[in-house]
Amino acid sequence: MIKAENLSFSYESEGAEVKVFENLNIEIKDGEFVAVLGHNGSGKSTFAKHLNAILVPKSGKVTVYGIDTADESRIFELRKNVGMVFQNPDNQIVATVVEEDVAFGLENLGVPRDEMRQRVDEALNTVRMYGYRKHAPHLLSGGQKQRVAIAGILAMEPRCIVLDEPTAMLDPIGRDEVMETIRRLNREKGITIVLITHYMDEAVKADRCIVMDRGRIVMDDSPQNIFPRVEEVRALGLDVPQATELVWELKRRGLNVETGALRSAQAVEAILKMYENERTK
Amino acid sequence: MLRDITLGQYYNTSSPLHDMDPRTKILGVIFYMVVLFMASSVWEYALAALFTAFVIKLSRVPISFITRGLKPLVMIMGFTLALNLLMTSTGNELFHWWIFRVTDDGVALAVKMAVRLVLLVMGTSLLTLTTSPIALTGGIERLLSPLSRIGVPSHEIAMMMSIALRFIPTIMEETDKIIKAQTSRGADFESGNLIQRVKAMIPILVPLFAGAFRRADELAVAMECRCYNGGAGRTSLRELRFRRIDAMALIVGVVLLAAMIGLKILAAGGIA
Ligand SMILES: Nc1ncnc2c1ncn2[C@@H]1O[C@H](COP(=O)(O)OP(=O)(O)OP(=O)(O)O)[C@@H](O)[C@H]1O
Ligand SMILES: [Mg+2]
């Protein structure tokens, strides 16, 4: 369980104070797949950095699996449990050989060599990069690099992985690879996923979407309940999935179509159903 | 052009050289440099060149990969060649032009210096070509560890080096991209006098440094997220083990040094 209670935080930059959060409250349950959305500067990354004590609250409290993030003495236990994947894969890969990069976290934790070997291989298998274990990371594709970064986190056996726009620098293929991996970790290993993204097609794959606006949580619901509110979502500076937009536009133009589709298949279904209804009328 | 720099790049294959303990290779390179700087006669150079060729063959790194690393050094080499050719005044004059006198001693010295430089770069780049930076780091750390008792930050030094090596290809790629971007905006790096050319570098260096600082910042956070906390209590995936091949390599090194000294004594005997 991850819990932020009355979290307040501000950056100090050049003497001025940039307030980001004021009394923010969030609870994320074990095994959840949460997408965090919001326009640029709404505080998503700042929130993410509070989950593994890269930043600590100015006031209020963040507890992660019973560990208070302000407790310096348990910081490694905390970071072992909450892994973090960032946007630019190049800037988070430390080693020049894939398997050695995956081992980096375990080396820091002082895991014995035999166990390390086993956990590194397992993590590489999970993200389907085992065949590349001896490769140089800078020669891999963006999606592959990002999966290596995920493996590096996975090897530490975290209970939660926080991903801050992991697909922003990837092509569509890389994006699919990473999303598929994330979903599998959530479904098969029960790892809690916090995914920050600007892609609504990724957000619809989550169980729950948290929408932030200027440091406040303005929506917190399932994607099925959030995206059909197209106008509200747009007012927050966000897109809606294409499928949702399509049926919403049709409805707005006076067609009697069911709104609420999130994926293209659902949009197709809704449109077919509309014709069906027209015919039987 | 920038991709040609192979210095600091790891060439992934398996060979006796790749299998060696990084400590052996580091000591070997130090040894090799000593031998090269001792060399003076043609025979000694021939021996060193032969040895270098042997080690390159042993490494299974394609020769084209190693010679590519020499290209960026052409300038320096040209400079040393010219300097040695023109500044040596001993020996018999070969020809004379304006204030310059080219002598046979000068030619010999210039050629030797060039050979020495080439061998030096080829031999030392083999260290990074056959040793992954993490292994290299491990080796340096272990070799320096006796010194950490007197306050030498051996782990930190090793870490810094390995990160520098890790980011060389990335930064090279970025430099290439910036050069192309600036060229497409009409920047000219090829013409003009020295001052103009240096000035033309500024639009490359500024974004390059800005980018490097951003990278460093992000990397530091990413390392912290993965529980990095300096060298204390760290274990390593890569095992450092002194094996038969390492013993053999060291013996070969000693033999080489002995041969070098032998040649020197022979040469001295020849003079006497
Ligand atoms: N290091 C910093 N120093 C000062 N202000 C900062 C710093 N980092 C972020 N901010 C400010 O804090 C606010 C929240 O930034 P944050 O990076 O959390 O937003 P974000 O939602 O992740 O945005 P994006 O979608 O662009 O990644 C912004 O107004 C930003 O300008
Ligand atoms: Mg962000």
Side-chain angles (χ1 to χ4, degrees), chain A residues 49 52-54 75-77 79-80 82-84 86 88-97 99-113 116-117 120 134-138 145 148-149 152-153 156, chain B residues 8-10 12 131-136 142 155 159 162-163 165-167 169-170 173-174 177 211 214-241:
Chain A
K49 286 179 180 152
N52 70 348
I54 294 298
I75 201 156
F76 294 116
E77 188 186 345
R79 290 188 179 153
K80 186 210 152 298
V82 181
M84 189 88 82
F86 297 93
N88 188 337
D90 278 325
N91 299 351
Q92 52 190 323
I93 291 178
V94 187
T96 37
V97 176
E99 63 173 11
E100 292 185 345
D101 187 74
V102 175
F104 181 74
L106 299 181
E107 293 179 334
N108 293 334
L109 292 170
V111 172
R113 181 171 294 128
M116 196 186 308
R117 181 78 260 170
V120 165
K134 299 277 185 198
H135 282 235
H138 74 272
K145 281 185 213 174
V148 170
I153 299 299
M156 298 206 285
Chain B
Q9 251 183 63
Y10 178 56
N12 196 359
T131 319
S132 82
I134 282 207
L136 198 61
R142 292 284 274 279
H155 169 75
M159 197 51 153
S162 106
I163 288 176
L165 291 174
R166 149 75 184 83
F167 277 89
T170 311
E173 230 169 80
E174 186 158 296
K177 243 188 251 166
R214 200 192 54 243
R215 274 183 204 288
D217 200 38
E218 282 180 25
L219 183 71
V221 172
M223 284 170 70
E224 255 185 76
C225 284
R226 289 164 77 183
C227 301
Y228 181 68
N229 183 36
R234 259 185 131 236
T235 48
S236 162
L237 178 69
R238 189 170 282 261
E239 200 167 3
L240 292 189
R241 200 190 274 156

Side-chain angles (χ1 to χ4, degrees), chain B residues 70-242:
Chain B
L70 290 172
K71 264 194 230 159
L73 289 161
V74 166
M75 277 267 284
I76 302 173
M77 237 132 68
F79 186 69
T80 357
L81 255 167
L83 209 69
N84 281 305
L85 265 181
L86 302 176
M87 296 302 161
T88 312
S89 50
T90 58
N92 305 317
E93 184 178 305
L94 295 179
F95 63 88
H96 193 113
W97 175 71
W98 191 33
I99 54 166
F100 298 113
R101 229 164 64 89
V102 174
T103 66
D104 54 356
D105 276 7
V107 171
L109 197 64
V111 170
K112 276 180 194 169
M113 282 310 281
V115 170
R116 179 181 286 174
L117 254 175
V118 168
L119 291 181
L120 192 67
V121 172
M122 293 211 292
T124 47
S125 61
L126 268 182
L127 174 65
T128 51
L129 280 168
T130 63
T131 319
S132 82
I134 282 207
L136 198 61
T137 316
I140 292 171
E141 195 173 347
R142 292 284 274 279
L143 284 175
L144 287 179
S145 64
L147 298 180
S148 62
R149 253 173 260 135
I150 58 163
V152 175
S154 55
H155 169 75
E156 284 75 7
I157 292 173
M159 197 51 153
M160 262 157 43
M161 290 186 57
S162 106
I163 288 176
L165 291 174
R166 149 75 184 83
F167 277 89
I168 284 173
T170 311
I171 305 262
M172 289 293 166
E173 230 169 80
E174 186 158 296
T175 315
D176 249 3
K177 243 188 251 166
I178 295 172
I179 290 179
K180 281 192 191 118
Q182 304 290 29
T183 311
S184 73
R185 292 193 180 93
D188 180 8
F189 305 110
E190 244 87 274
S191 60
N193 61 28
L194 192 66
I195 294 173
Q196 280 167 332
R197 282 198 206 191
V198 169
K199 265 194 184 155
M201 295 300 284
I202 293 173
I204 298 175
L205 292 179
V206 171
L208 194 62
F209 272 90
F213 282 122
R214 200 192 54 243
R215 274 183 204 288
D217 200 38
E218 282 180 25
L219 183 71
V221 172
M223 284 170 70
E224 255 185 76
C225 284
R226 289 164 77 183
C227 301
Y228 181 68
N229 183 36
R234 259 185 131 236
T235 48
S236 162
L237 178 69
R238 189 170 282 261
E239 200 167 3
L240 292 189
R241 200 190 274 156
F242 197 82

Side-chain angles (χ1 to χ4, degrees), chain A residues 166-185:
Chain A
T167 61
M169 300 181 77
L170 309 183
D171 59 13
I173 294 170
R175 210 171 290 158
D176 285 346
E177 288 171 7
V178 170
M179 281 309 292
E180 189 270 334
T181 308
I182 297 172
R183 289 230 302 169
R184 205 149 34 80
L185 294 181

